[in-house]
Amino acid sequence: MNGYQSSLAGPAEAVRPWTVDADTSLQAVLDQPECHPLVCDSLTAVASWQIRVETPVRRALTSPRVAPRWVAALLALGASVTVSGGSGSREVELALLLESRAAGRVLALHIPPGGVGRRWGQACVARTPADEPIVLACAVVEMDGQTVQQARAALTGVWPQPVRLARAPSQLVGGGLDEASIQAVASALMQEVEPRDDYLGSAEYRRAMAGVLAWRALEQCLGGEGGGR
Amino acid sequence: MSGDSTTCVTLTINGEERTLRVGRSTTLLDALREASYFSVKYGCGVGDCGVCTVLLDGQPVHSCQIRAADAAGREVTTVEGLEPVVKGVAGAADVAYLHPLQRAFVEVGAIQCGYCTPAQILVAKALLERNPDPTEREIREALSGVLCRCTGYVKIVQAVRLAAARMRGAEEPSFAPVEATLAPGQSPANVLGEFYRARPLDAPLPPLVISPPDLEAMHVVGQPDVKVDGVKLAVGRPVFTDDIKLEGMLYGALLTSPHAHARIRRIDPSRARALPGVRAVLTHHDVPRIKYASGGQSYPQPPPFDQVGLDDKVRHVGDRVAVVAADTPELARRALRLIDVEYEVLPHVLDAEEALSPGAPVIHDEVDTEGIYDAQRTIVHRIGADAGVSAAAWARVDHVFEGEYRTAQQQHANIEPHVCITTWDEDGRLVVRTSTQVPFHIRRMLSPLIGLPVKRIRVVKPRIGGGFGNKQELILEDLCAHLTIATGRPVQMIYTRHQEFTSSRSRHPPVMRFKIGVTDEQEVVATELELIGDTGAYGTHGLTVQMVAGQKALTLYNAPYSKFACDVVYTNKPTPGAFRGYGAMQCFFGLETLMAEIADRMGWDVVAFKRKNWIKLGEELLIAQALGEGREGFEQVIASSGLDQCVEVGLEAMRWYQKRGQRSSDPDGEAKGHIRHGIGMAVMLHGSGIAGLDMGSATIKMNDDGSFNLLVGATDIGTGSDTILAQIAGEVLGVPVDDFIVTSSDTDFTPFDKGAYASSTTYISGGAVRKAALDVAEQIKEHAASMLGLPGADGLHLRDRQVIASDGTSLTLAQVALSSLHQHDQHQIIASASHMSYTSPPPFAAQFVEVAVDIETGQFTVERVLMAVDAGRIINPITASGQVEGGLQQVLGFAHCEEMVYDQSGRLVNPRLGPYHIYKCNEMPELEVIFVQTDEPTGPFGAKSIAEISMDGIAPAIADAIHDATGVWLREVPFTPERVWRALQAL
């Protein structure tokens, strides 16, 4: 279903973190050949060309309502940011910045390199294909052979914050990735989320969708090396 | 310009270095418009709609989101900067000399109202500079940031493809309408194979126009002429209301209510009045209490007259409180914040059914409103009508089916907001330049409110940036006029996008209960409809929308017995009004969904069941006479119908019987995974004007060179009516559309017309134009006969700008004009004519959709839409198909996502185009339009209407398709993911 869920094929991964100046526009990010497919996908369909041109990385990160899909993709990819503080600049996880556990002016965005074992997936529900998602799940799994080394899932629409990392996928680490483990994560995630009612969907619906979409995003990671199906 | 401290900014605009004085917070949008780059439009001010787009260093940006100061040293491109191929007089007027993108937009018919056109063209320009050969998907993605409410984006995308191909020097398949004339006895379905085969696989399908074998050929009517206003819209000339600046003009602003229901205990404007630069502040203490109804309808307007200019009570969030005029818009907004208002908040009610319950708040407790059916119970109108014999009909019934259906309050989202400029002219007359669909009604309605006789008011309608019914209303004109009267100066008022949602109009959200009785032989013998109409805080169109709802819904199957019972109630919501579809589309959702459900439950073929029962040629519209529309009804008989053929064509084109009932995960596979495909259909009819009420007039005047002025009161709001009216006149006079200077509408210079509503322009105004043209043609022939020394005009005919005698001798129209004006039997060849009708012949249509439903989330995608329409003879297939395509975009939103949602206090939670969400370019399904022409004997050259019927069947067709895919019936619009999901959970 066009625009509903990603079906991404990953190119050869970069070997170094991809660093983007915080003054860079989202359109310039999208235009970079290094732009990860998950990031590219999250910047099109909903965010218009005009918004991408006008919006610098800094604003998109510090106001995650501007581009929540993109922020979710970054969280799932394990992005970090360089922020300036009283004692100079430092690199912190993007998740910490979004949770207000780190402060400072964002100077740069870093997207860590992925190995050949990186797999990813994204799924969402929206009123229409180009509408802002009601709930979105974005998952990235780093595999070493058949073993999960890292697993991250970011969701929108199921917490008071626009975007947040879920804890539940961490239970995949050290184990294999299969339908049973994915189902367990999806079930745990439904318990973890704290959705609220709004005009787009009730809390009950959002909770149910968190499970469905997280399952789908992770299930795409089963698709093989380099990305989703 | 902002009231904050100013600075000079130097930037390059369209290649020319300009230094602008701007405020620190002045947006690039305001700075450009201040500098007379009027192609850059205001639509929302928050970056949702994209019509303010300019290119900044070659990249598209929202000029409303960029500070002018931040553009210093950068290069700005607006549409004014697009270079024509040939400059000067030729380039200014001839489409062939325009920039390839502008040319393609005009030629393909990508321009309707034209308000978003400059932005679309600029984005396309930027795209083609990055990618000269974009795919359709890339075009749609690029254009997705500019919202269009008129076109369905179909022809915009095609225009970009065409321009791109021309700029590359490549071939692009034509998107011109395709004509197919049937051989005697040939089915319209038989022409489809060749039509589909003739197109490359990746090329979209242009409109198909099917003609019956006996339809008389025409020369001008039926041609895909480009719009007469296309060039000026493509190049962004200042043609809209807001595109003029008058000397000394003030800026008005409206203070609106924060409460759903409250009495104003005290209002103190003194601090606002004391603000330097504020020229007037008006409250209910300053404006005479004259009761009126704001709906722009013919005299006498339907009751109740339940509004006053400014009241001491507010009845919805967004209701009028006070109005200000100041030297700048910023000052006016500051002044609003300085008005002290003390409210006594009253209990409110937002739900129409709750409003009917005992103890509900009384919304109109004032003593001076007349015409409310029961003010204490908030019932504005009680409507009842039936046709046929109830007992006899129900006695024949074998099965009774009932269903309750609800549709949401939809906002028009016309991209140009309501805007008005008032000023005194040199004769002490008030000139009202306003974005309206009903200039003559506005003049008449405004007169008592401002205490000026009609003769001292002139209403001018410039180009209109979309209306769809929202501008069939007196919204700003009285307030703007009061400010001009108070200050003696020109005043401009424009709604913010937020005010468009809360303080203009919207679609009525009814509750409908259908009861249908059928026999075992699949005959519908009785249909009853109970309707609760929610008219919000004021009555305006509350009566007539519900009457149309009942009339159309009960006419489609024209059961031997029909009954309509309706209560129209007040609530404390922003007031619904006229909106394209006008009650009919809401009721067709209920009716057609229940008909499909009946067929499903009875195991009948839904198409055969409907075909057996839909109204046929020669049948009388049974309920129409009993119900009427705001007035008495008239006896009417169906004189033309192509509904059978529309359905036949649609079934074949969609491969209906191969796809129906598969519930498959892909169109040709079996059910698996979480996606299910379904196909659905609905049939519908509409009307062509209001029978016995609507009247239009036209004047045609011949000029020295054989050209003509065509003066019409008919109000082109982007639909192309100026063009099709010129085609009608051109057919009679034997001249092309180019030979008409069309003027619409100015109450001083054009004859009366009721305005653009009720699908009336082609049929009613077109009838007037045809009559006037026939009169002029007779005058031309008589004069030519005299010039040729013939005893009479018999045997003369007009063709190719000539008067041709039976012996082949001829005169040019220019010769006739010069003779009549200057030489021989001197007189002005001129005629005026009026037209009205006691019938409103229905256009008919069938709509088909294919959907893909995600059964785990409830989200669905509309993948394909096909509409086969009988609108009589098609006057112009480009503008007609544009009407269908644009209507489909609006109704897809109605069915799928658009809904005004309120919190408990009555505040709208989604009063922005982003969260509200209308369909964007990159999510439109494939749209196909097929015209099945008929020859309506009462219409001009056989034409019926086309404007509204596209709205009527998509919602039930989607409901039918979702049922086909999943087995669930949906009874509430829009079909949000959660509603679909809940229905699936309940299976």
Side-chain angles (χ1 to χ4, degrees), chain B residues 458-603:
Chain B
R458 174 185 173 192
V459 177
V460 180
K461 176 219 69 100
R463 306 323 294 171
I464 305 298
F468 321 117
N470 204 7
K471 294 172 180 173
Q472 192 198 338
E473 197 93 13
L474 188 141
I475 291 280
L476 282 174
E477 291 86 353
D478 60 324
L479 296 176
C480 207
H482 280 305
L483 290 171
T484 286
I485 291 168
T487 62
R489 291 170 62 173
V491 176
Q492 179 244 51
M493 289 190 77
I494 183 167
Y495 262 174
T496 63
R497 181 55 57 183
H498 189 283
Q499 287 173 323
E500 280 296 317
F501 277 97
T502 60
S503 308
S504 71
R505 298 293 179 258
S506 49
R507 189 182 300 290
H508 290 79
V511 179
M512 300 159 279
R513 298 183 185 110
F514 278 95
K515 180 179 174 185
I516 297 178
V518 298
T519 68
D520 284 329
E521 290 73 40
Q522 304 190 21
E523 184 186 358
V524 174
V525 291
T527 307
E528 295 186 1
L529 169 57
E530 286 181 12
L531 190 150
I532 300 172
D534 179 351
T535 192
Y538 298 102
T540 178
H541 289 265
L543 175 69
T544 45
V545 162
Q546 323 312 323
M547 294 181 88
V548 170
Q551 191 198 100
K552 304 302 183 207
L554 297 176
T555 295
L556 180 58
Y557 295 108
N558 212 33
Y561 176 70
S562 296
K563 181 182 175 186
F564 180 59
C566 173
D567 278 346
V568 186
V569 302
Y570 287 124
T571 61
N572 292 110
K573 292 207 287 271
T575 310
F579 193 166
R580 191 180 195 179
Y582 208 79
M585 66 181 303
Q586 293 97 314
C587 280
F588 281 133
F589 164 58
L591 175 70
E592 282 293 88
T593 303
L594 185 55
M595 287 291 285
E597 187 171 350
I598 292 170
D600 180 63
R601 288 168 62 179
M602 297 299 295

